[in-house]
Amino acid sequence: VKHAIIVAGGSGKRMQSATPKQFLNLNGMPILMHTIKVFWQYDSAINIVLVLPAAHITTWNSLVDKHQFSIKHKVVAGGLERFHSVLNGLNTITEGIVGIHDGVRPLVSLNTLKTCYETAKTAGSAIPTTAVVESLRQKTETGSVSVNRAEFLNVQTPQCFDVQQLKPCFNIGFQNSFTDDASVWEYAGNTVTLVDGNVENIKITTPSDLVFAEVIKLE
Amino acid sequence: VKHAIIVAGGSGKRMQSATPKQFLNLNGMPILMHTIKVFWQYDSAINIVLVLPAAHITTWNSLVDKHQFSIKHKVVAGGLERFHSVLNGLNTITEGIVGIHDGVRPLVSLNTLKTCYETAKTAGSAIPTTAVVESLRQKTETGSVSVNRAEFLNVQTPQCFDVQQLKPCFNIGFQNSFTDDASVWEYAGNTVTLVDGNVENIKITTPSDLVFAEVIKLE
């Protein structure tokens, strides 16, 4: 059984827009619908769980009506931190492989989805990564230092896990060190398997990201 | 006196193209010409030094003819590493502020250029940075670990320096730890001043980056 927990909690501050960024239109349809659609294109039988801030559920329902969006999905209310939102989604499923995905990553490729879900099925987990192209600096107490970008990887989503192995990891409770779902998994003593993601699979956070996504989706 | 050393050494492997990426067309004109043009738009009196691999100089000259590219610039042959290419450019100048810039970053904003050059004039150096949006992992001997992206910054160009302070830093000779020009500056005992860059100022390394740049340049 395959599941997708799509987490859409962002407020859109960086987008300079009053509309939560996951609801912004990308070629005429909200970003979040594009994201859901890719998972459905990958596997039309996948169980899609959409986690939204409680305050946005009414808006979402009216967008679904307006766009006559027909891909089946369950809506669950989110929590205080991403950790709690994912947990609310996890509480609706019991077994199989789950991919936890950012709602504002509509450019994930079918190939990335395939690699992640198939790897997680045999390895227990799979998270997509890409090479760091920009030079990096690390902040220090007194300023910052150059670091070697070749030692780092960008981490994307979906982060895929065996559901029965992942659920106990979330029983530990929220820690400030949890930056993504893989860090919850690792904190519980598991190791993550890295796979290659697709470079276009950016998190849409700025107006120029949206422009980029529009062009890629039209191609 | 303001100088720009524009370094264009990439081979275009990631672009899946036989043409060096800096020569690829962006809305009908090679990327590198767009990059030169932004510096000229910022200050039409700026001294532009273009560092090209020796093998590409003939091609560049014919592109200049073909596009009737009239912005004045000096062409210098590059060296083995970026370090040596920058040094060859530095050897043509003696004082003032120099901005060292990647040839494949045509999306640097006029505002970023202004901030960098003006800050370097008073502080001795200025390098543009942006927040890291993607989650990061650091490679380890046995695998990789999550790191907190809030502790890191993306580093862009132009990296700007006082010429008379920078030149002695390059006398030290090449070190493997030199990942950018700021690291040469710091290795000699100087501190760098960080300023805000513009997020669009990406290094064009993939076909989708080129698509992004085409849309941003048309706006």
Side-chain angles (χ1 to χ4, degrees):
Chain A
V1 195
K2 292 196 205 94
H3 310 273
I5 294 179
I6 296 175
V7 185
S11 67
K13 263 176 289 181
R14 269 185 289 206
M15 194 59 86
Q16 299 156 317
S17 159
T19 308
K21 54 194 170 184
Q22 60 272 18
F23 294 162
L24 289 176
N25 272 336
L26 194 171
N27 300 336
M29 183 167 84
I31 290 172
L32 195 46
M33 293 184 186
H34 286 276
T35 305
I36 291 172
K37 192 174 166 189
V38 182
F39 281 81
W40 172 83
Q41 284 173 324
Y42 165 56
D43 179 352
S44 61
I46 200 168
N47 173 40
I48 297 172
V49 180
L50 175 62
V51 187
L52 281 173
H56 293 168
I57 293 177
T58 308
T59 308
W60 173 252
N61 288 336
S62 61
L63 286 170
V64 166
D65 283 348
K66 182 180 166 193
H67 292 272
Q68 305 191 323
F69 187 69
S70 60
I71 297 174
K72 203 184 143 193
H73 63 280
K74 174 181 296 191
V75 176
V76 169
L80 192 61
E81 299 278 351
R82 182 193 167 90
F83 175 90
H84 306 102
S85 295
V86 171
L87 182 55
N88 291 357
L90 277 178
N91 283 337
T92 70
I93 63 179
T94 56
E95 60 171 346
I97 301 297
V98 63
I100 303 169
H101 190 70
D102 298 325
V104 290
R105 289 196 196 260
L107 301 179
V108 60
S109 70
L110 295 177
N111 194 47
T112 296
L113 291 180
K114 186 170 187 286
T115 307
C116 289
Y117 277 91
E118 289 184 1
T119 303
K121 198 171 176 181
T122 53
S125 73
I127 66 173
T129 65
T130 58
V132 172
V133 174
E134 301 282 353
S135 292
L136 280 181
R137 292 184 74 82
Q138 184 163 18
K139 296 178 191 171
T140 62
E141 282 192 14
T142 54
S144 63
V145 293
S146 286
V147 296
N148 184 355
R149 67 165 184 252
E151 291 172 9
F152 292 84
L153 292 166
N154 286 320
V155 179
Q156 307 172 330
T157 69
Q159 302 196 347
C160 291
F161 306 94
D162 179 274
V163 175
Q164 288 172 310
Q165 254 183 288
L166 181 64
K167 290 182 76 147
C169 305
F170 272 81
N171 288 339
I172 283 164
F174 178 69
Q175 308 286 325
N176 274 319
S177 62
F178 292 163
T179 55
D180 61 357
D181 309 300
S183 53
V184 180
W185 173 263
E186 289 176 304
Y187 188 82
N190 300 298
T191 57
V192 297
T193 300
L194 306 184
V195 298
D196 286 338
N198 59 299
V199 291
E200 300 82 12
N201 183 19
I202 58 166
K203 210 160 143 181
I204 298 184
T205 54
T206 66
S208 56
D209 291 338
L210 187 55
V211 166
F212 173 72
E214 291 195 329
V215 177
I216 299 287
K217 278 290 181 192
L218 285 178
E219 277 188 335
Chain B
V1 195
K2 293 195 204 96
H3 310 272
I5 295 179
I6 297 176
V7 186
S11 67
K13 264 177 288 181
R14 270 184 290 205
M15 195 60 85
Q16 299 156 319
S17 159
T19 307
K21 54 194 170 185
Q22 60 272 20
F23 294 163
L24 289 175
N25 272 335
L26 194 172
N27 300 337
M29 183 167 84
I31 290 172
L32 195 46
M33 292 184 186
H34 286 275
T35 304
I36 291 172
K37 192 175 167 189
V38 183
F39 281 81
W40 173 82
Q41 285 173 322
Y42 164 57
D43 180 352
S44 61
I46 199 166
N47 173 39
I48 297 172
V49 181
L50 174 62
V51 187
L52 282 173
H56 293 168
I57 292 177
T58 309
T59 308
W60 173 253
N61 288 337
S62 60
L63 286 170
V64 166
D65 283 348
K66 181 179 166 194
H67 293 270
Q68 305 191 321
F69 186 70
S70 59
I71 296 174
K72 202 184 145 194
H73 62 280
K74 175 181 297 190
V75 177
V76 169
L80 193 61
E81 300 278 349
R82 181 194 169 89
F83 174 90
H84 306 103
S85 295
V86 172
L87 182 55
N88 291 357
L90 277 178
N91 284 337
T92 70
I93 64 180
T94 55
E95 60 171 344
I97 301 297
V98 63
I100 303 169
H101 190 69
D102 297 325
V104 291
R105 290 194 195 260
L107 301 179
V108 61
S109 70
L110 295 178
N111 194 47
T112 296
L113 291 180
K114 187 171 186 287
T115 307
C116 288
Y117 277 92
E118 290 185 0
T119 302
K121 198 170 175 184
T122 55
S125 72
I127 66 173
T129 64
T130 58
V132 173
V133 173
E134 301 281 353
S135 292
L136 281 181
R137 292 184 74 82
Q138 185 163 17
K139 296 177 191 170
T140 62
E141 280 191 16
T142 54
S144 63
V145 293
S146 286
V147 294
N148 184 356
R149 69 166 183 250
E151 291 173 8
F152 292 83
L153 292 165
N154 287 321
V155 179
Q156 308 172 331
T157 68
Q159 302 196 348
C160 291
F161 306 93
D162 178 274
V163 174
Q164 287 172 310
Q165 255 184 287
L166 182 63
K167 291 183 76 146
C169 305
F170 273 81
N171 287 340
I172 284 163
F174 179 68
Q175 307 287 324
N176 276 319
S177 62
F178 292 163
T179 55
D180 60 358
D181 309 300
S183 54
V184 180
W185 174 263
E186 289 177 302
Y187 188 82
N190 300 297
T191 57
V192 297
T193 301
L194 306 184
V195 298
D196 286 339
N198 60 299
V199 292
E200 301 80 12
N201 183 18
I202 59 167
K203 210 161 145 180
I204 299 184
T205 53
T206 66
S208 57
D209 292 337
L210 189 54
V211 166
F212 174 74
E214 291 194 330
V215 176
I216 298 287
K217 278 291 181 192
L218 284 178
E219 281 189 330

